[in-house]
Amino acid sequence: MTEPFVSTFHVGWGDLDSNAHMKNTAYLDKAVDTRMLFFQGQGFSMREFERWRVGPVVQRDEIEYFRELRLLESVRITLALAGLSADGSRFRLRNEFYRADGKLAARLTSSGGWLDLAARRLTVPPAGLAAALQALARTEDFEPLPSSLKA
């Protein structure tokens, strides 16, 4: 995949803060929706995650804000890979939020791994899921990450 994955949403009433622009938690929610749409498009629905008893877990989010998003504005959200371990157990995903005028509104970088839901420990994802991540477009600052598994 040479281009980032893209989804488009509108800023809804529930996405607003008291300043009448998109609140920080709404950015996190829209980013997760975009990620899950990517996985579903790669054949990995929520049912597949349930069947495998594995799920993505975010350990850190960092948001940079550049421009406001307001009620009913269209927002285009990209998803790209900013880091990945060789075994796929650890990832860094980058979402960028663009206004309808094409201007960058925000950038979210999320670091995480794959949680074995039975053992409650980080694990290596199923091979197809790791391959889906590897196929994502990479950011300019992509870097290899260490495995989340202990030697």
Side-chain angles (χ1 to χ4, degrees), residues 27 63-67 69 95-99 103-108:
Y27 284 94
I63 306 175
E64 300 171 86
Y65 301 101
F66 304 102
R67 293 188 168 58
L69 289 169
N95 293 99
E96 292 185 324
F97 297 74
Y98 293 91
R99 298 184 331 181
K103 293 184 177 174
L104 181 64
R107 178 178 297 123
L108 169 64

Side-chain angles (χ1 to χ4, degrees), residues 113-131:
W114 296 99
L115 184 66
D116 178 319
L117 297 175
R120 307 309 289 180
R121 294 180 187 256
L122 293 177
T123 190
V124 173
L129 191 52

Side-chain angles (χ1 to χ4, degrees), residues 1-5 79-80 134-139:
M1 190 179 275
T2 58
E3 295 294 318
F5 177 80
L79 173 64
Q134 291 169 352
L136 261 173
R138 294 181 179 209
T139 62

